[in-house]
Amino acid sequence: MLTIENEPQLSPNDVDLYLFHEGTLHEGYKVFGAHYTQIGDTGGFRFTVWAPNACAVSIVGDFNDWEAGKHKMNPVKQSGVWTTFIQGIGVAERYKYAIETPSGAIVLKADPYAFYAETRPNTASLTCRLDRYEWHDAKWMRQREKIDDYHRPMAIYECHLGSWKKAENDRLMTYRELADELVNYVFENGFTHIELMPIMEHPYDRSWGYQITGYFAPTSRFGSPDDFKYFVDTCHRRGIGVILDWTPAHFCRDSHGLGKFDGTPLYEPCDPKLADRPQWGTYNFDFSKNEVVSFLISNARFWMDVYHVEGFRIDAVSSMIHLNHNNDLPFELKNKYGGYENLEAIDFIKKLNEAVYAKFPSALMIAEEATDYPMVTGPTDKGGLGFNFKWNMGWVHDILQYMRFNPFERRDHHNLITFSMLYAYSENFILSFSHDELVYGKRSLLNKMPGDEWQRFANLRVLYGYFMTHPGKKLLFMGSEFAQFDEWKDLEQLDWNLFDFPMHHAFHNYAVALNHFYQKTSCLWRLDHEQEGFEWIDADNADQSVISFIRKGKRKGDYCLVICNFTPNVYQNFKLGVPANGNYLELFNSDSEAFGGSGQCNRESIESVDEPFHNQAHHLKLTIPPLGMSILMKETKKRKTMTAYDQI
């Protein structure tokens, strides 16, 4: 937060204006919006806004009975920027911009750079100071700069704050209540990060935050900006990273928001064909305007600078880079060369990632991109978009399609569980069982599984087992860790009463144990994005619907064997090729009784046989559990006492 002392700058300087119009004012939140300013003994707020087509702009609020023209703003050097300073205004004062449009109408607009807003359904911006919170995460912030996210575990808990859990009388929990309860829950469940569905200010609860009016304001539904800082601070003190969903593709049309901000299309394109997003009832951002680029890049840097977040999952990237992605219009859009790419959006994305990494080299910039657009996670200087991770939506689609089949039909669809390895290293992937898979009649993960109750839970356990051992980082939507039966109900809290049912309680034991095992087992994540980290043992056993593979770490001998059985058959004396001679221990088995399974486990050390099999020099004979996943490693003195069965 920019606080001006002694000789305050009451309007943007020439450098600010030049960079803003060039699209490179990457910290515009220090220039635009409402900033507390001290002049001598008198304090007040400086207001600055971009409205190039306005005939006049003034500040209205409770302090002047919402009378337009009473506190007029001054144009700054024909730049389209307006500014003024009002003495005596305190914190939490309601205000808007009264903008006289070219047609002579007066429109009241919330501040695009407002740091705080009224609680819906009210729509005014609130004056705010962001320089008063005392952070306690200095150690985390120092360590964060040294983190190599590509070579460390990443298990993300995706969360919608409004429906994770409710307080008494169905009240929304506050940021501080969530900090005390949610953060501890995430830590104890073995997750490394929380990903929050958008918490930027938005008018409609059921947009889930994806249609924003206040890009710089954490929603007041859950408390104040300082309360949200406390939430992030608490995450960091528990060793949990914070990722925000962010929507630079489009914004909502509510009259107090960005749409036709000065009476003309400003943040959106002038051409209605390019501005309208009929599928969502929103406006697209106009990435050809440098001022919009400055606004959005500033917004990304703002959340990392002021709120210390680790990064973003950028929503709807496909709709940004492809002009006709999910296009409901009765015609095709083309760029100036006759192609179908949004050239300005692609250029913006590259500039965004470069600007973020320039200030925050360890930032997480994660793309939700659903097409085969190349080099999404490639560096910009080599033609890539510059993200460092991408959701692997192809894997999610294929594996869920496979799991819906009756287990004895799966042999005919075996390629659905093996195809992903043909492209697993084309991008830096995150495997994501997100909210998108659990709404609009798609059913919960448990309810997608076939069979009776036992088989459904067993299917879900083997699915999670493959999920956690397949190359790529991990994301799981809230409630899935205890096998929520109903699909996500965004107006209600999760079905916490399911913990009273033995199978759900046992499944939660499984998910927690698997998360902790994953974090402790370096070969499951050390080479996630390098081909040397994976080797098939047998990818072709369609008849038995069994796959087996090796996950490898950086050090010699750091590897584990993974076997997944997608049928309810138990296979005794199953031959499995192994790369080295010795004794092997089963360290994890999804069929353990403690997880709700049938107990078909290999509890004793298994000695290898010195005969080649599966193109390996040796083999084992072991029991393969029904609808189960097993992880084995070579026996060492340490590993004799580290099996998951003794740690539940």
Side-chain angles (χ1 to χ4, degrees):
M1 174 67 180
L2 182 66
T3 303
I4 305 172
E5 306 289 349
N6 301 323
E7 297 182 4
Q9 175 188 317
L10 294 182
S11 64
N13 60 38
D14 290 342
V15 174
D16 293 333
L17 294 173
Y18 177 82
L19 295 177
F20 178 62
H21 294 306
E22 187 186 52
T24 57
L25 185 63
H26 295 159
E27 295 182 347
Y29 52 91
K30 295 181 178 179
V31 176
F32 291 89
H35 291 266
Y36 178 77
T37 304
Q38 186 79 28
I39 302 180
D41 296 329
T42 303
F45 274 83
R46 170 174 62 81
F47 298 87
T48 306
V49 68
W50 177 54
N53 301 303
C55 298
V57 184
S58 59
I59 305 292
V60 295
D62 293 330
F63 46 84
N64 62 13
D65 298 322
W66 297 87
E67 183 178 333
K70 203 166 191 178
H71 288 97
K72 294 181 179 179
M73 302 186 74
N74 303 309
V76 183
K77 299 181 179 180
Q78 298 182 335
S79 64
V81 175
W82 304 73
T83 192
T84 193
F85 171 73
I86 305 178
Q87 291 185 343
I89 290 183
V91 170
E93 291 271 12
R94 300 195 306 155
Y95 74 96
K96 284 187 178 180
Y97 295 112
I99 298 175
E100 182 181 342
T101 71
S103 70
I106 302 293
V107 294
L108 299 185
K109 291 288 188 176
D111 188 346
Y113 287 84
F115 302 134
Y116 196 19
E118 285 189 288
T119 304
R120 75 286 178 246
N122 299 321
T123 59
S125 302
L126 298 175
T127 56
C128 176
R129 293 187 65 171
L130 296 180
D131 57 349
R132 301 234 172 135
Y133 182 82
E134 183 179 349
W135 287 91
H136 299 89
D137 66 347
K139 181 179 179 181
W140 169 274
M141 296 296 283
R142 287 194 303 270
Q143 292 176 341
R144 186 174 78 175
E145 297 309 310
K146 303 173 184 177
I147 285 175
D148 175 6
D149 286 302
Y150 301 111
H151 300 103
R152 67 189 292 259
M154 186 183 295
I156 304 167
Y157 189 73
E158 187 192 21
C159 188
H160 177 256
L161 293 182
S163 57
W164 180 73
K165 185 179 285 189
K166 297 290 184 70
E168 65 281 353
N169 300 320
D170 206 36
R171 174 179 62 81
L172 294 177
M173 296 181 75
T174 67
Y175 290 123
R176 290 181 181 265
E177 290 170 332
L178 289 160
D180 295 339
E181 191 164 347
L182 169 61
V183 176
N184 188 58
Y185 179 83
V186 168
F187 174 80
E188 291 182 346
N189 277 258
F191 293 95
T192 63
H193 293 74
I194 295 176
E195 180 180 314
L196 301 179
M197 294 170 67
I199 52 83
M200 297 81 180
E201 194 57 81
H202 52 283
Y204 181 46
D205 288 1
R206 303 207 72 180
S207 78
W208 311 332
Y210 290 103
Q211 297 187 14
I212 295 171
T213 51
Y215 272 81
F216 291 81
T219 178
S220 56
R221 287 167 174 79
F222 311 113
S224 71
D226 279 358
D227 293 334
F228 182 61
K229 288 183 179 181
Y230 177 83
F231 177 88
V232 176
D233 206 1
T234 304
C235 288
H236 289 171
R237 283 182 283 165
R238 295 308 303 271
I240 303 295
V242 179
I243 301 167
L244 302 183
D245 272 15
W246 188 52
T247 60
H250 63 118
F251 57 90
C252 69
R253 301 187 186 194
D254 289 53
S255 60
H256 67 286
L258 297 177
K260 296 190 168 100
F261 186 78
D262 60 2
T264 67
L266 190 62
Y267 288 86
E268 69 273 30
C270 297
D271 184 346
K273 296 191 298 296
L274 298 174
D276 290 338
R277 176 72 64 172
Q279 179 192 14
W280 298 321
T282 56
Y283 287 127
N284 294 314
F285 277 106
D286 186 351
F287 302 110
S288 70
K289 293 174 183 168
N290 288 336
E291 296 83 359
V292 173
V293 172
S294 285
F295 172 81
L296 288 171
I297 293 178
S298 292
N299 186 238
R301 297 243 306 222
F302 167 81
W303 289 100
M304 300 195 71
D305 182 16
V306 175
Y307 287 98
H308 293 193
V309 304
E310 274 58 61
F312 307 96
R313 194 278 290 187
I314 291 81
D315 181 63
V317 171
S318 300
S319 74
M320 296 171 68
I321 63 179
H322 298 286
L323 287 169
N324 297 289
H325 185 75
N326 290 336
N327 183 5
D328 292 333
L329 300 171
F331 48 82
E332 284 189 329
L333 300 172
K334 294 183 180 181
N335 61 39
K336 61 184 178 182
Y337 300 113
Y340 299 107
E341 301 84 10
N342 186 332
L343 301 177
E344 292 79 13
I346 292 170
D347 187 53
F348 159 73
I349 289 170
K350 293 178 179 180
K351 289 178 179 177
L352 165 72
N353 286 320
E354 289 169 354
V356 168
Y357 294 136
K359 181 74 178 289
F360 304 100
S362 64
L364 293 172
M365 299 296 285
I366 304 166
E368 183 210 18
E369 206 289 301
T371 73
D372 59 356
Y373 189 90
M375 296 187 67
V376 172
T377 57
T380 57
D381 61 358
K382 290 182 170 57
L385 292 183
F387 293 102
N388 49 9
F389 291 100
K390 172 184 174 178
W391 276 13
N392 192 337
M393 301 172 77
W395 180 84
V396 172
H397 174 271
D398 287 352
I399 191 66
L400 291 180
Q401 182 181 353
Y402 177 82
M403 295 303 298
R404 288 188 181 98
F405 287 111
N406 180 291
F408 297 108
E409 298 174 336
R410 289 173 179 167
R411 59 184 297 170
D412 299 322
H413 306 279
H414 194 72
N415 66 302
L416 289 173
I417 53 171
T418 60
F419 179 70
S420 60
M421 290 312 303
L422 295 179
Y423 63 87
Y425 301 104
S426 62
E427 303 279 4
N428 301 322
F429 282 120
I430 294 176
L431 311 184
S432 54
F433 287 135
S434 74
H435 69 278
D436 285 331
E437 308 302 329
L438 310 174
V439 290
Y440 302 136
K442 295 178 184 177
R443 300 182 293 175
S444 71
L445 290 176
L446 178 66
N447 207 8
K448 297 179 196 289
M449 301 297 110
D452 58 22
E453 182 189 50
W454 189 92
Q455 288 196 1
R456 282 187 173 188
F457 278 95
N459 270 302
L460 193 56
R461 287 194 301 271
V462 71
L463 171 61
Y464 278 26
Y466 190 33
F467 166 63
M468 294 300 290
T469 57
H470 188 286
K473 308 309 180 185
K474 325 297 176 187
L475 177 141
L476 191 67
F477 186 59
M478 64 181 194
S480 301
E481 74 279 5
F482 59 82
Q484 171 112 353
F485 186 77
D486 290 339
E487 71 177 17
W488 176 40
K489 298 164 287 190
D490 59 295
L491 296 180
E492 303 176 26
Q493 69 173 0
L494 298 178
D495 294 330
W496 296 104
N497 61 304
L498 291 178
F499 276 89
D500 296 333
F501 294 85
M503 288 299 287
H504 289 274
H505 190 272
F507 186 87
H508 182 249
N509 285 343
Y510 171 67
V512 172
L514 187 56
N515 278 356
H516 284 289
F517 184 85
Y518 163 78
Q519 282 204 46
K520 293 185 297 185
T521 308
S522 61
C523 59
L524 291 178
W525 41 261
R526 183 65 179 80
L527 297 178
D528 260 332
H529 310 296
E530 299 165 51
Q531 293 187 14
E532 295 79 9
F534 180 92
E535 179 184 346
W536 282 115
I537 297 175
D538 187 3
D540 302 319
N541 191 351
D543 287 341
Q544 292 179 301
S545 296
V546 173
I547 57 172
S548 52
F549 52 89
I550 305 172
R551 290 300 310 276
K552 301 176 184 179
K554 191 74 172 177
R555 302 183 311 275
K556 183 179 180 180
D558 181 20
Y559 65 90
C560 67
L561 316 176
V562 181
I563 309 98
C564 297
N565 174 15
F566 293 96
T567 75
N569 295 330
V570 179
Y571 299 116
Q572 303 286 355
N573 295 313
F574 187 92
K575 289 181 69 173
L576 179 75
V578 294
N581 197 20
N583 292 340
Y584 286 77
L585 287 173
E586 183 178 75
L587 299 183
F588 204 94
N589 188 319
S590 67
D591 197 46
S592 168
E593 292 99 327
F595 303 148
S598 63
Q600 296 293 325
C601 301
N602 299 276
R603 297 184 179 273
E604 303 297 327
S605 175
I606 307 169
E607 185 177 357
S608 66
V609 178
D610 193 17
E611 291 179 2
F613 196 68
H614 285 149
N615 293 315
Q616 303 291 332
H618 314 274
H619 72 268
L620 306 176
K621 289 186 178 180
L622 68 159
T623 298
I624 304 298
L627 293 171
M629 180 276 301
S630 301
I631 302 175
L632 295 92
M633 299 178 78
K634 279 198 71 176
E635 181 180 311
T636 64
K637 290 182 179 179
K638 180 179 179 181
R639 287 183 187 142
K640 285 183 178 181
T641 60
M642 65 176 285
T643 64
Y645 312 120
D646 301 322
Q647 300 179 36
I648 300 165

